[in-house]
């Protein structure tokens, strides 16, 4: 059995045993001292951030008007909370007063806390002038790809390496990514893009075909959660995993010059996308040779993912690249290391963990980490 490899990028000393952290619950009260004057009196405002997997209109995170101001009281754990304020969608997220994007708000929570903030602008008030299409000419978009397992359509974005149309005999590995809106194009992203196409266009590493599947918006949590849990009772992750393997991969292999074998097939995602990518690899251990698990939302599964690791892990023999940032809170490193420990105990998978001291739960962090993941996964290909 191969021992897990840890890339130590912080001051902590890591072993194969989980990092033991006692996560204490606190109350966080967020008060909006002001909102833009053009905000409708009937507007519903939400907090979207790492406590709710960046859902722009999650139940339990809606502000209530009290004493003439928007107020939200929420349970949170010790550590960093990143968030923005929305009016129910990422097209209606808060901005600076001139319409420009702002960084995520960050609160370091160490006790019950009350914070006051001012919302200066809403993105839809300014249109999309600040966002431009940045996708490479090598990216094509299929907007009505049918998902028979889920009985709905989805946009699929496909990157073909620069030399694809020149050398008609050459075949390529394939990387499948979740949250496709954020993979190639700033215009379609809701919190920044990964610029995977820009990386592939310029890297000296062997390039891959990249297949990025858009998330389903209000269906995202259902599709990316494999287990019916209290917070996501309508989980459809098992059907989504079936779609990735039984429908999407065969289509890509028919339509493009792919290397179909397991060592040349990769899957990755972040947050809920990291959870469903890992689950898909567990369910289909003969399909994916490399798996990128960025900031996975293991906590939302009510420990069911660990039961699957023990049950399905013995069949998994792939390269798994785990990533988490210490700015994501106390529980996520603990969850990740528990998953690694459990997986190392039962499987022959080769495991690598990156725990970055300055990493947050956002697209910017995952964009920086992607080239390191790709370099690692492509080097493992035989």
């Amino acid at each position: 059995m191969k021992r897990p490899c840890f890339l130590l990028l912080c001051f902590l000393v890591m072993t194969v045993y989980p990092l033991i952290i006692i996560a204490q619950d606190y109350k966080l009260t967020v008060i909006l001292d002001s909102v833009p004057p053009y905000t409708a009196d009937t507007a519903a405002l939400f907090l979207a951030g790492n406590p709710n997997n960046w859902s722009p209109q999650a139940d339990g995170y809606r502000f209530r008007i009290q004493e003439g101001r928007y107020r939200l009281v929420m349970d949170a754990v010790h550590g960093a909370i990143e968030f923005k304020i929305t009016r129910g969608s990422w097209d209606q997220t808060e901005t600076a007063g001139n319409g420009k994007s702002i960084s995520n708000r960050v609160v370091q929570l160490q006790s019950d806390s009350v914070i006051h903030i001012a919302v200066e602008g809403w993105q839809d008030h300014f249109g999309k002038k600040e966002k431009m299409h940045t996708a490479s000419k090598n990216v094509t978009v299929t907007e009505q790809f049918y998902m028979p397992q889920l009985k709905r359509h989805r946009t699929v974005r496909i990157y073909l390496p620069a030399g694809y149309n020149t050398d008609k005999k050459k075949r390529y590995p394939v990387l499948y990514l979740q949250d496709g809106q954020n993979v190639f194009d700033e215009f379609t992203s809701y919190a920044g893009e990964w610029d995977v196409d820009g990386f592939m266009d310029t890297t000296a590493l062997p390039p891959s075909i990249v297949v990025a599947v858009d998330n389903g918006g209000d269906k995202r949590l259902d599709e990316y959660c494999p287990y019916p849990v209290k917070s996501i009772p309508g989980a459809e992750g098992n059907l989504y995993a079936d779609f990735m393997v039984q429908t999407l991969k065969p289509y890509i292999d028919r339509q493009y010059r792919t290397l179909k074998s397991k060592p040349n097939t990769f899957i990755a995602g972040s947050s809920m996308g990291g959870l469903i990518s890992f689950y898909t690899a567990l369910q289909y251990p003969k399909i994916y040779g490399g798996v990128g698990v960025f900031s996975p939302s293991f906590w939302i599964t009510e420990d069911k993912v660990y039961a699957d690791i023990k049950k399905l892990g013995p069949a998994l023999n792939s390269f798994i690249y785990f990533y988490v940032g210490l700015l994501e809170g106390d529980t996520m490193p603990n969850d990740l290391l528990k998953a690694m420990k459990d997986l190392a105990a039962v499987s022959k998978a080769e495991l690598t963990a990156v725990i970055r001291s300055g990493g947050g739960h956002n697209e910017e962090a995952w964009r920086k980490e992607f080239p390191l993941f790709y370099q690692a996964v492509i080097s493992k290909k035989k």
Side-chain angles (χ1 to χ4, degrees):
M1 180 182 302
K2 297 182 179 178
R3 292 181 60 81
C5 168
F6 289 82
L7 305 182
L8 301 184
L9 301 177
C10 63
F11 62 89
L12 297 174
V13 178
M14 303 296 177
T15 70
V16 295
Y17 300 101
L19 176 65
I20 305 301
I21 297 174
I22 299 175
Q24 183 173 349
D25 288 335
Y26 295 116
K27 292 287 186 184
L28 174 63
T29 301
V30 183
I31 299 173
L32 306 186
D33 286 334
S34 63
V35 296
Y38 49 82
T39 305
D41 292 340
T42 57
L45 272 56
F46 299 85
L47 182 146
N50 54 349
N52 58 19
N53 283 297
W54 296 93
S55 172
Q57 54 176 348
D59 291 340
Y61 295 86
R62 180 174 175 173
F63 286 82
R64 307 297 177 185
I65 297 179
Q66 297 178 2
E67 300 177 353
R69 289 188 293 182
Y70 285 94
R71 182 187 300 261
L72 170 66
V73 180
M74 55 181 278
D75 293 323
V77 297
H78 174 279
I81 297 175
E82 295 189 46
F83 67 94
K84 284 181 178 168
I85 309 301
T86 81
R87 294 193 346 269
S89 73
W90 287 112
D91 290 335
Q92 298 174 315
T93 190
E94 63 172 316
T95 67
N98 58 4
K100 291 187 176 181
S101 298
I102 62 172
S103 299
N104 294 334
R105 298 182 183 273
V106 180
V107 177
Q108 292 287 345
L109 200 62
Q110 297 179 340
S111 63
D112 289 350
S113 302
V114 179
I115 61 171
H116 294 256
I117 62 178
V119 176
E120 298 180 3
W122 299 115
Q123 179 178 308
D124 57 318
H125 179 74
F126 298 93
K128 292 191 175 182
K129 295 180 181 179
E130 298 299 325
K131 297 179 71 174
M132 300 177 62
H133 284 293
T134 58
S136 164
K137 63 180 181 180
N138 297 317
V139 175
T140 58
V141 178
T142 301
E143 295 186 349
Q144 289 292 316
F145 194 97
Y146 186 59
M147 310 168 78
Q149 294 82 359
L150 293 157
K151 296 180 174 58
R152 58 186 70 119
H153 292 83
R154 188 60 41 77
T155 295
V156 176
R157 306 168 193 274
I158 302 171
Y159 170 87
L160 299 178
Y164 184 87
N165 293 319
T166 302
D167 186 346
K168 300 292 186 179
K169 295 183 179 180
K170 187 173 182 178
R171 293 182 174 272
Y172 297 87
V174 183
L175 167 62
Y176 294 87
L177 291 175
Q178 319 310 322
D179 290 312
Q181 296 97 323
N182 298 340
V183 173
F184 303 125
D185 197 342
E186 177 68 23
F187 187 83
T188 60
S189 70
Y190 58 85
E193 62 153 320
W194 288 31
D195 192 32
V196 171
D197 50 337
F199 169 77
M200 289 292 176
D201 279 345
T202 57
T203 184
L205 296 168
S208 294
I209 294 171
V210 182
V211 181
V213 184
D214 278 21
N215 68 58
D218 60 356
K219 295 291 187 182
R220 179 177 185 268
L221 293 181
D222 287 346
E223 291 180 1
Y224 287 179
C225 185
Y227 316 101
V229 292
K230 182 178 179 180
S231 58
I232 310 177
E236 301 175 309
N238 59 326
L239 298 177
Y240 183 86
D242 291 347
F243 158 72
M244 292 292 292
V245 172
Q246 298 177 8
T247 300
L248 185 59
K249 185 181 187 303
Y251 171 82
I252 296 297
D253 287 339
R254 288 194 306 269
Q255 295 296 319
Y256 301 96
R257 298 194 309 275
T258 67
L259 294 169
K260 303 177 183 180
S261 64
K262 173 180 173 178
N264 292 285
T265 306
F266 320 127
I267 188 170
S270 62
S271 193
M272 290 296 292
L275 168 62
I276 193 61
S277 296
F278 180 68
Y279 172 84
T280 303
L282 277 176
Q283 289 291 327
Y284 292 94
K286 296 181 180 180
I287 300 298
Y288 302 102
V291 186
V293 188
F294 296 79
S295 307
S297 299
F298 289 154
W299 62 271
I300 209 167
T301 70
E302 299 174 355
D303 291 341
K304 293 180 180 179
V305 69
Y306 304 116
D308 262 358
I309 288 174
K310 293 178 181 179
K311 176 183 177 182
L312 304 174
L316 187 61
N317 183 15
S318 303
F319 171 64
I320 316 292
Y321 185 102
F322 289 101
Y323 164 83
V324 70
L326 289 183
L327 294 183
E328 299 184 59
D330 290 340
T331 60
M332 293 197 73
N334 198 32
D335 290 346
L336 183 146
L337 290 172
K338 174 174 172 51
M340 288 195 67
K341 174 178 176 288
D342 290 354
L343 195 56
V346 300
S347 83
K348 296 180 180 179
E350 182 174 352
L351 309 179
T352 291
V354 176
I355 301 178
R356 195 174 294 281
S357 60
H361 193 92
N362 52 49
E363 309 301 327
E364 179 182 5
W366 302 322
R367 172 175 174 157
K368 291 179 180 178
E369 202 63 38
F370 175 80
L372 301 177
F373 155 70
Y374 187 77
Q375 181 178 16
V377 77
I378 204 71
S379 70
K380 301 295 180 181
K381 185 178 74 69
K382 297 179 176 63

